[in-house]
Amino acid sequence: MREDCTAEFEKILWDFQPYSIAQLGRLYFLRLQKIRHEHFEQLSEKCAVGVSTMTGNGWKLSVTLLMVTAAAIGAGAQTFQSLFSFNRTDGAMPFAPLAQGRDGNLYGTTWGGGTGGAGERYGTVFRITPTGTFTTIYNFCSQNACADGTNPVGGLTLGSDGNFYGTTGSGGPLAGTVFKITPDGALTTLHTFGLTDDGEGPAGTLIQGLDGSFYGTTVGGGAYMYGTVFKITAEGAFTSLYSFDGLEAANPAAGLTLGTDGQFYGTTESGGNYGDGAVFRISPKGRLTILTVLHGFDGSQPHGTLLLANDGDLYGTAFYGGNLNCNAPLGCGTVFRVTSRGILKSLHRFNGSNGSLPMAGLIQATDGNLYGVTELGGSSSNCSQGCGTILSINNENTLTTLYNFDLVGGYQPLGNLLQSTNGHLYGTTGSGGSLDDGTVFMLDIGLTPFVAFVRNAGRIGESGGILGQGFTGTTDVSLHGTSAQFKVVSDTYIRATVPPGATTGYVTVTTPTGILKSNVQFHVIP
């Protein structure tokens, strides 16, 4: 490399030393990542360097980046596959989890890239098949003054109407939007945030409540400027439910989780007695209760959505805290559990070698184990603090590293994993790939196909959606042993009615090739 180029790269590395999310908040941290990324792109073009790669709190330059198509990992038949590499024009920096549609395909957002506006920087919505065929279905900032929003941080939620619902972290034109988008890419802006009255910067994924409305959070704004909880109907009727005051809790960066009691559960990345964040419960009408607060050794600054596991407890991750000798003095993060009575227990403290700084939350797969990712850490030496990991935790709270990201196939995963109904795990990386704009990957751990719900609760007589595959020729749909009326809409989607006399339990679907069981129980509402 030319000496003048080397000097310029070193200057950027010094000038753009990464700040932590603790210092900036999630949205501003991501915006800084974008600025650094653009500086490297400009200099790479000038100096004819193939790829510049960012590695979290440390940096490493690479002239070429090889993509892996299939790599065996761990024990048994576990296989990692990089399905797609973003190239800026079709999106860049996917930070959010994927969502499965009625058609069996996966849908997601990228924070940057796309062809909307100027500079390929405003983000996209995309569709990808389980085998990797990719389509960009929407480019943000396609409207005047970016009225349709820019830079989505959260993922998409499949609504009961078959459309997807999501948010943008900015634009609209100021503080973000809530939108609805069809599987074919027709977008409708439902709400634009106004900062002080209703919130600023939604960063978490929406969730549909039992009433059909969608519930979410904003990192900032509201009456006290510390974030909000809101609800919005599919038609766009918006209600601000709660404004955080900065004392008991502040700055919710994650989406909400719906409990079996009809209440919502969430986290804040700051506030609480120690300023390390809190876990809260909020009713659909906006009555909020702090269940517990985090502190140092137990974890600090949770950013991922909570998981309501089959045992009835909530599981989450904290970005910092835990082993304070790792990434001193902040810590490398934790996995924690909160009971329904608000008792907090730290289950695992990351030490760097087995992962570090988990931005995403956890999922529970059909084998009962928990699965997640860490942004950094792991065994790769190609990133100064590791390139990130995929992990599992069994019912004895033993953590196993399933995959160490190593530049090939992407690195720095930030969003939750998704278990598709084909049994495989899918996710995204915020960096890596042919142009360092991120990837979509798949991990096959040998789990078999199943069926999932669009919403996993309903009353007798109500109809709901079932996602899966191989539905053509289905002969029976049963809820906890009680047969239900159903209609096969497509090979990947069934509509069924909650039958009289049914009780809470698992759903089975009898297809020509066998019986598929739901991954979670369907809750019958009295």
Side-chain angles (χ1 to χ4, degrees):
M1 186 186 296
R2 293 171 9 208
E3 290 185 3
D4 61 326
C5 288
T6 301
E8 287 193 60
F9 270 117
E10 290 176 349
K11 183 177 186 301
I12 291 177
L13 296 182
W14 178 260
D15 290 346
F16 289 91
Q17 287 295 313
Y19 296 90
S20 69
I21 293 178
Q23 295 167 307
L24 296 174
R26 189 180 191 193
L27 283 175
Y28 298 103
F29 175 84
L30 295 176
R31 289 171 186 162
L32 183 59
Q33 290 282 64
K34 178 181 178 183
I35 293 170
R36 295 185 303 193
H37 188 79
E38 291 169 353
H39 274 70
F40 268 89
E41 285 179 350
Q42 294 166 6
L43 194 54
S44 293
E45 292 174 2
K46 170 184 174 181
C47 298
V49 175
V51 175
S52 60
T53 59
M54 298 183 294
T55 61
N57 291 336
W59 297 75
K60 183 180 180 67
L61 297 178
S62 174
V63 176
T64 60
L65 196 67
L66 299 177
M67 292 295 292
V68 64
T69 57
I73 57 173
Q78 300 173 356
T79 301
F80 177 91
Q81 184 175 2
S82 180
L83 296 176
F84 184 78
S85 175
F86 290 93
N87 66 9
R88 255 167 295 174
T89 56
D90 53 26
M93 294 177 280
F95 296 139
L98 300 168
Q100 184 172 332
R102 288 183 179 183
D103 56 4
N105 294 321
L106 310 179
Y107 292 76
T109 61
T110 67
W111 186 72
T115 59
E120 300 176 345
R121 65 185 65 185
Y122 295 110
T124 68
V125 179
F126 65 86
R127 174 178 64 239
I128 187 168
T129 68
T131 55
T133 301
F134 181 93
T135 305
T136 299
I137 65 172
Y138 192 81
N139 295 280
F140 286 102
C141 199
S142 292
Q143 299 177 11
N144 186 44
C146 298
D148 52 339
T150 63
N151 306 116
V153 180
L156 301 172
T157 295
L158 176 64
S160 55
D161 59 0
N163 296 314
F164 293 94
Y165 293 79
T167 62
T168 64
S170 53
L174 177 63
T177 69
V178 181
F179 64 85
K180 172 175 65 178
I181 188 168
T182 69
D184 293 326
L187 184 139
T188 302
T189 300
L190 300 177
H191 181 76
T192 58
F193 287 94
L195 187 62
T196 56
D197 53 350
D198 54 1
E200 174 196 18
T205 300
L206 299 172
I207 187 168
Q208 190 169 21
L210 299 178
D211 59 357
S213 296
F214 295 87
Y215 292 75
T217 62
T218 66
V219 177
Y224 308 102
M225 302 302 291
Y226 286 104
T228 69
V229 178
F230 65 86
K231 81 170 182 177
I232 187 169
T233 68
E235 296 73 33
F238 182 92
T239 304
S240 183
L241 296 176
Y242 191 83
S243 288
F244 291 93
D245 62 9
L247 298 176
E248 60 179 2
N251 309 120
L256 300 171
T257 296
L258 179 61
T260 57
D261 56 0
Q263 309 270 334
F264 296 94
Y265 295 80
T267 62
T268 65
E269 64 180 20
S270 56
N273 295 348
Y274 308 101
D276 290 331
V279 178
F280 65 86
R281 177 179 63 230
I282 188 168
S283 73
K285 294 185 177 180
R287 182 176 179 180
L288 187 137
T289 302
I290 300 297
L291 295 179
T292 188
V293 297
L294 283 79
H295 181 49
F297 196 58
D298 294 320
S300 174
Q301 298 185 28
H303 296 288
T305 302
L306 293 171
L307 164 70
L308 179 62
N310 293 338
D311 61 6
D313 289 339
L314 297 166
Y315 291 78
T317 61
F319 192 71
Y320 289 132
N323 180 358
L324 302 184
N325 292 321
C326 178
N327 188 38
L330 298 174
C332 285
T334 68
V335 175
F336 62 85
R337 179 179 66 207
V338 178
T339 69
S340 59
R341 302 173 67 178
I343 300 173
L344 172 71
K345 181 178 181 180
S346 178
L347 301 180
H348 182 78
R349 298 176 177 91
F350 291 100
N351 60 20
S353 63
N354 61 4
S356 176
L357 308 185
M359 175 75 78
L362 302 168
I363 67 166
Q364 188 167 32
T366 48
D367 60 357
N369 293 332
L370 308 184
Y371 292 85
V373 296
T374 62
E375 179 185 356
L376 299 179
S379 61
S380 173
S381 60
N382 288 326
C383 307
S384 63
Q385 294 188 29
C387 296
T389 68
I390 303 176
L391 61 94
S392 69
I393 300 176
N394 64 18
N395 57 11
E396 296 178 349
N397 298 326
T398 300
L399 184 143
T400 301
T401 300
L402 299 178
Y403 183 77
N404 291 282
F405 289 95
D406 194 22
L407 297 187
V408 291
Y411 61 99
Q412 288 186 315
L414 296 171
N416 282 25
L417 295 171
L418 166 74
Q419 187 182 21
S420 166
T421 56
N422 65 11
H424 303 333
L425 303 179
Y426 291 84
T428 61
T429 65
S431 304
S434 58
L435 288 176
D436 198 32
D437 287 318
T439 68
V440 180
F441 64 84
M442 181 272 291
L443 180 67
D444 179 0
I445 55 176
L447 300 181
T448 57
F450 62 96
V451 295
F453 308 117
V454 176
R455 289 197 292 168
N456 65 347
R459 294 178 173 83
I460 290 176
E462 292 181 343
S463 61
I466 299 175
L467 307 176
Q469 54 283 305
F471 287 158
T472 301
T474 290
T475 57
D476 181 73
V477 174
S478 292
L479 169 55
H480 205 184
T482 302
S483 292
Q485 293 183 341
F486 67 93
K487 178 181 179 180
V488 177
V489 179
S490 70
D491 196 56
T492 56
Y493 182 68
I494 288 175
R495 286 200 65 83
T497 301
V498 181
T503 57
T504 295
Y506 290 93
V507 166
T508 57
V509 177
T510 304
T511 73
T513 58
I515 298 177
L516 299 173
K517 182 180 177 181
S518 62
N519 58 332
V520 297
Q521 294 189 68
F522 185 90
H523 293 272
V524 178
I525 304 172

